[in-house]
Amino acid sequence: MLLRFRVANHRSLRDEQTLSFVAAPRRGEQKRKGAVIPRTVSAAGIYGANASGKSNVLDALRWMSRAVKSSHTTWAPSGGVPRRPFLLDETGRKTPSFYEVDFLDEGVRYSYGFEIDDENVRGEWLYSFPAGRPRTLFERNGPEDYRFGRSLGGETARIAKLTRGNALYLSSAASNNHPLLGALYETLAEKVHFAEQDHFDEQARLSATMSLLEHPRAARDVNELLRLADLGLESAEVVRREIPPEVLTSFRRLREAVRESGGDFATDEEQFGKEIRLRRAGTDVTLDIREESAGTRVWLSMLGYTLVTLLAGHLLVVDEIDSSLHPVLSSTLIRMFKDPEINRTGAQLLFASHDTTLLGTMLADDTLGRDEVWFTEKDANGATSLFPLADFRPRTDENIERGYLQGRYGAVPYLNFDKVREIFRGMEPRLDEPSA
């Protein structure tokens, strides 16, 4: 379970920014004495103008997760660190980038983070808080200077010698079978699922849905959710198709090239020979999923990630959750995470969106609470600020959707329509049009 994420010097996030899943105190709520784990929310949405940095917040978390997963195994030994600093001034290029997460694992709170520059890991740390008391597991100052806490155990010194200057110790420890650090690696690298609205990412999500459709019980649940979406579909099924040998050879070459470059290639060879076909309600006609609308594909592809996340208690991060989806469907995804009868594992959803209906009460009274809404805004230098709606202390009965669109909380684009009119007023008639 994610509690907080802090980042600095990643793309437009020049200065340190914090995203929190810790719930805002309710009015009249007293701080719980002896509380070790704070109360959290299960969903958080980020709003802001185009190019304000919403996606960069999600990208920073994704970059950190991938660094933990692959820095030891796929980053080139002499290739430095493939970071993404703020590039609009020289300070960003010269300043280290910073990433840190506070999270829960097996009921214990941890804080893990690191600093990097273009060449090496400048610092890395991991603390635990059993019974609320801080305990150092390890600290790293520079590429090779380590200090290990007595409670960590394992072959810490040997793993340190195997860790390159441009690789994370946590990544190296997992690769060398350290029991505790391997478990925390799993939490940060494998239990966070990312969804972006592009073709390759959609194919990865469809692969997850395909895996569920191949298990009868899971397929029943997927198809029921498909029918409930009112898309005119009765069911989805997985069928195998014949792949020409030359196509299969090209697929293998592409897969190896992507993996060697450190990228994710979710489709394996067995999945490559399969496809999803959809049966229309009231007919025996089945269609390839590629013949369906973008909204249908997005809904079906999101079902796999959503069900896996909810059943396993993971974190799902979705950019543009409203892309090609009707507001009722995107709000349904959010409400699934917020409903305690559905979400019994503590799963979480983090998303970016432009759909302001999710801020209002037209779809549901509790789609997003005041401590579940965040805003991004860029300053004149192109640097992003991230801040919560809770900072504005909105009234319980306040229309959040209207207030946001009216600019009450900032994070909206300003466009002077009189200037737009002036542009068109000065345009010359098209030369290929006859004059009146």
Side-chain angles (χ1 to χ4, degrees):
M1 177 185 292
L2 181 64
L3 299 176
R4 297 180 184 87
F5 171 53
R6 296 197 297 155
V7 58
N9 199 19
H10 180 94
R11 290 191 164 175
S12 66
L13 305 168
R14 182 189 62 190
D15 306 315
E16 184 178 313
Q17 306 297 324
T18 300
L19 176 77
S20 176
F21 273 81
V22 176
R26 295 167 181 166
R27 291 182 180 178
E29 181 182 30
Q30 299 294 321
K31 186 175 181 180
R32 294 177 296 168
K33 292 183 178 180
V36 176
I37 307 302
R39 187 168 58 86
T40 59
V41 297
S42 55
I46 305 176
Y47 284 79
N50 290 109
S52 64
K54 300 184 301 297
S55 296
N56 288 343
V57 176
L58 308 187
D59 182 75
L61 183 58
R62 184 171 194 163
W63 192 94
M64 180 182 188
S65 179
R66 282 182 170 177
V68 170
K69 183 176 183 178
S70 60
S71 66
H72 178 70
T73 55
T74 63
W75 287 4
S78 59
V81 177
R83 67 175 182 141
R84 302 168 180 175
F86 185 80
L87 296 176
L88 298 183
D89 60 37
E90 287 299 321
T91 302
R93 296 181 178 91
K94 298 177 181 179
T95 303
S97 298
F98 164 90
Y99 305 83
E100 184 180 67
V101 287
D102 293 338
F103 63 100
L104 297 181
D105 188 77
E106 299 294 331
V108 177
R109 183 163 68 94
Y110 294 90
S111 181
Y112 170 73
F114 54 85
E115 278 191 337
I116 53 170
D117 58 23
D118 291 337
E119 300 299 328
N120 291 303
V121 176
R122 297 276 295 269
E124 188 178 3
W125 54 91
L126 175 64
Y127 308 109
S128 65
F129 298 83
R133 299 185 181 90
R135 177 183 293 171
T136 299
L137 295 177
F138 74 81
E139 290 179 337
R140 178 183 184 183
N141 297 302
E144 300 178 355
D145 183 10
Y146 291 89
R147 183 171 73 88
F148 298 102
R150 288 179 295 177
S151 61
L152 181 57
E155 299 183 69
T156 54
R158 183 184 69 85
I159 295 172
K161 291 180 180 179
L162 296 173
T163 304
R164 301 188 313 273
N166 71 331
L168 296 174
Y169 183 80
L170 183 59
S171 178
S172 177
S175 296
N176 286 278
N177 301 315
H178 190 285
L180 173 61
L181 299 185
L184 299 183
Y185 163 94
E186 286 285 330
T187 298
L188 297 177
E190 305 292 352
K191 296 182 181 180
V192 187
H193 309 286
F194 296 90
E196 296 178 348
Q197 305 306 330
D198 60 46
H199 173 73
F200 290 105
D201 196 78
E202 181 182 279
Q203 295 307 304
R205 297 197 309 272
L206 284 172
S207 294
T209 303
M210 188 182 298
S211 296
L212 294 180
L213 288 171
E214 294 184 295
H215 293 81
R217 185 170 180 177
R220 182 193 63 192
D221 296 333
V222 170
N223 281 320
E224 185 62 25
L225 289 168
L226 187 63
R227 286 189 288 272
L228 289 174
D230 196 23
L231 299 169
L233 297 171
E234 178 61 28
S235 63
E237 62 177 350
V238 179
V239 299
R240 179 175 289 279
R241 66 182 187 274
E242 291 297 325
I243 304 296
E246 62 274 13
V247 175
L248 188 57
T249 299
S250 297
F251 166 81
R252 291 168 178 164
R253 289 173 179 169
L254 175 61
R255 178 186 60 194
E256 293 307 311
V258 171
R259 288 176 175 173
E260 287 177 3
S261 65
D264 290 336
F265 200 93
T267 303
D268 60 29
E269 194 166 309
E270 184 178 355
Q271 291 174 320
F272 186 58
K274 299 175 182 178
E275 65 183 14
I276 297 176
R277 294 193 68 84
L278 302 172
R279 182 159 65 88
R280 284 279 154 189
T283 75
D284 292 327
V285 176
T286 63
L287 299 175
D288 190 301
I289 191 172
R290 290 169 294 188
E291 300 177 82
E292 293 291 344
S293 69
T296 296
R297 296 196 309 272
V298 169
W299 178 252
L300 185 61
S301 67
M302 286 300 303
L303 286 180
Y305 272 25
T306 300
L307 290 176
V308 168
T309 302
L310 286 169
L311 293 174
H314 294 177
L315 169 64
L316 177 59
V317 182
V318 185
D319 198 6
E320 298 182 16
I321 196 171
D322 51 306
S323 178
S324 301
L325 283 182
H326 190 279
V328 170
L329 295 183
S330 51
S331 69
T332 298
L333 286 176
I334 297 167
R335 293 175 66 194
M336 288 164 68
F337 281 83
K338 295 186 60 175
D339 190 311
E341 292 187 34
I342 296 174
N343 184 2
R344 301 188 293 269
T345 62
Q348 295 173 304
L349 172 68
L350 172 62
F351 67 91
S353 178
H354 288 292
D355 186 358
T356 59
T357 61
L358 302 175
L359 299 173
T361 58
M362 292 184 64
L363 298 174
D365 291 336
D366 59 347
T367 302
L368 287 172
R370 65 189 180 97
D371 50 1
E372 298 169 333
V373 178
W374 292 76
F375 300 118
T376 53
E377 195 168 59
K378 273 187 180 176
D379 62 19
N381 298 315
T384 294
S385 294
L386 174 69
F387 51 95
L389 171 64
D391 282 356
F392 296 88
R393 301 182 179 275
R395 302 186 312 275
T396 304
D397 61 346
E398 186 169 323
N399 188 321
I400 304 299
E401 179 183 10
R402 183 169 61 189
Y404 170 63
L405 291 175
Q406 291 176 343
R408 188 175 305 164
Y409 319 118
V412 292
Y414 172 74
L415 194 151
N416 188 328
F417 196 76
D418 288 335
K419 295 292 185 180
V420 176
R421 187 179 290 116
E422 287 182 16
I423 293 172
F424 279 84
R425 188 181 296 135
M427 284 185 180
E428 296 291 335
R430 288 179 56 182
L431 297 178
D432 58 349
E433 293 288 339
S435 301

